[in-house]
Amino acid sequence: MNFKISKELQIGIWVIVTLAVTFFGVNYLKGKNIFNPTNYYYLKFSHINGLVETNDVTVKGYKVGLVQRIIYDYDNPNADVVVMLQVDDDLKIPVGSKAALVSALIGSPSIELRMGPSSSEIYQRGDTIPSYVDDGIMNSITEEVMPRIQTIIPQLDSLIISLHAIAENKTIENSLENLNTITKNLSKASVGINRIVDKDVPQLCNNFNNVMGNLNKVSSNLSGVDFRGTVNNLNKTLVGVQGITDKLNNGSGSLGLLLTNKDLYNNLNTTINSANELVVDIREHPKRYINVSVFGRKGE
């Protein structure tokens, strides 16, 4: 036996599934967990500082529920605003606890349950918990910060006027232009320095390395020279020169006699003068000393 599902039944099933998914999805987005059993309590405030449904309910900073509903009595504007809380079923709130509406500096306000001493008596589902508004940071800002801000505002006005006057001062503009010029010059100098570092410095380093290499070679060559033998030979030479000088001073030898014997010097001088006179006489009267006949004598 074949069992066929009609198209109408299929459409009905899909509609039911879609509605169920939508219901669970919307409640999930609101922060509601319909699978966990919950308790609900009521609070009353003279004002709620922007509290909205789905805002957090916390105990010592831990989220235990959310704001389920906010009831405002349009017929009696002076009546308190009633806030309905939805909290975890495991949470037991002892009698003597209070609920505080805490305003945040940034973000939405929240409900903070401040537990009283442990007691066997607890609030039951649907009870109204004593509550109050805790301005906290906002109250401190209003009472302490705002007066200071009010005293600072006139000073800020004066400061803004002074800054405006400084901004319109041509001296500041000229200084900025000079600073810009200095910055450009520094940039150019930096480029020049970079070029020197990139080109000249490596070349100087290479030259220095070559010089050091040559110095090393010279040092190696000098290390092979026999300076002691050279000095000894020089000393011997100086001794020989000293001996020759002593002989010359003492009149030893021909050169020494020539330097020290005055008579020998005078005779030598006289001989040279006589030779000069003879050369002069030969030049002036050659026939006295030379008799030459080109054709020979007669009768020979």
Side-chain angles (χ1 to χ4, degrees):
M1 180 179 179
N2 295 328
F3 180 75
K4 295 182 179 181
I5 299 176
S6 63
K7 293 183 179 180
E8 291 79 3
L9 182 59
Q10 293 178 1
I11 294 173
I13 293 172
W14 280 110
V15 170
I16 293 172
V17 171
T18 303
L19 292 175
V21 171
T22 303
F23 174 76
F24 288 112
V26 171
N27 283 280
Y28 177 77
L29 293 175
K30 289 182 178 181
K32 299 178 182 179
N33 191 350
I34 62 175
F35 295 103
N36 291 335
T38 57
N39 284 332
Y40 62 92
Y41 302 94
Y42 294 96
L43 309 176
K44 292 182 179 180
F45 298 100
S46 59
H47 61 87
I48 58 174
N49 291 337
L51 184 72
V52 295
E53 295 180 359
T54 70
N55 278 17
D56 293 341
V57 177
T58 62
V59 175
K60 297 181 179 179
Y62 179 75
K63 182 179 178 180
V64 295
L66 50 82
V67 177
Q68 176 69 28
R69 186 180 177 190
I70 298 176
I71 303 170
Y72 176 75
D73 190 355
Y74 288 95
D75 297 330
N76 185 9
N78 294 324
D80 292 333
V81 179
V82 179
V83 177
M84 179 181 175
L85 305 182
Q86 176 185 316
V87 299
D88 296 338
D89 188 57
D90 294 334
L91 180 65
K92 308 301 180 183
I93 304 175
V95 176
S97 301
K98 294 182 180 180
L101 174 60
V102 179
S103 298
L105 183 61
I106 299 175
S108 301
S110 61
I111 302 296
E112 182 178 349
L113 295 176
R114 297 175 178 177
M115 299 297 187
S118 298
S119 174
S120 58
E121 296 184 14
I122 61 174
Y123 289 108
Q124 301 299 320
R125 180 181 301 178
D127 287 345
T128 299
I129 301 174
S131 56
Y132 64 97
V133 177
D134 184 2
D135 292 327
I137 297 176
M138 297 302 296
N139 189 29
S140 300
I141 292 174
T142 304
E143 294 181 356
E144 298 180 7
V145 178
M146 289 305 296
R148 296 182 181 179
I149 292 176
Q150 290 176 356
T151 58
I152 291 174
I153 288 176
Q155 299 177 4
L156 289 177
D157 292 337
S158 301
L159 179 61
I160 291 172
I161 293 172
S162 301
L163 291 176
H164 184 69
I166 292 172
E168 291 182 348
N169 193 343
K170 296 297 183 181
T171 305
I172 302 297
E173 183 177 356
N174 294 332
S175 298
L176 293 176
E177 291 179 357
N178 293 333
L179 182 61
N180 189 19
T181 302
I182 292 172
T183 303
K184 291 181 180 179
N185 293 333
L186 288 176
S187 299
K188 293 179 180 178
S190 177
V191 172
I193 291 172
N194 290 333
R195 290 178 180 175
I196 292 173
V197 172
D198 293 337
K199 294 182 179 180
D200 296 341
V201 171
Q203 185 175 359
L204 290 174
C205 291
N206 292 331
N207 294 335
F208 181 75
N209 291 331
N210 293 332
V211 171
M212 292 301 296
N214 294 331
L215 288 176
N216 290 330
K217 292 180 180 179
V218 172
S219 177
S220 299
N221 294 332
L222 290 176
S223 63
V225 175
D226 187 6
F227 287 100
R228 179 172 295 177
T230 302
V231 172
N232 292 332
N233 293 330
L234 181 60
N235 289 331
K236 292 179 181 179
T237 303
L238 292 175
V239 170
V241 172
Q242 184 66 35
I244 294 171
T245 303
D246 293 339
K247 289 181 178 181
L248 290 175
N249 292 329
N250 295 329
S252 300
S254 299
L255 186 59
L257 291 174
L258 180 63
L259 293 175
T260 57
N261 193 335
K262 188 175 181 181
D263 294 334
L264 179 61
Y265 172 77
N266 292 329
N267 294 330
L268 181 62
N269 213 1
T270 301
T271 303
I272 292 173
N273 290 329
S274 299
N276 288 332
E277 292 176 357
L278 177 61
V279 171
V280 171
D281 188 61
I282 292 173
R283 184 182 299 168
E284 292 179 354
H285 306 92
K287 293 182 178 181
R288 292 180 181 179
Y289 304 96
I290 301 173
N291 187 8
V292 178
S293 177
V294 175
F295 301 100
R297 293 181 180 180
K298 291 182 180 182
E300 291 183 356

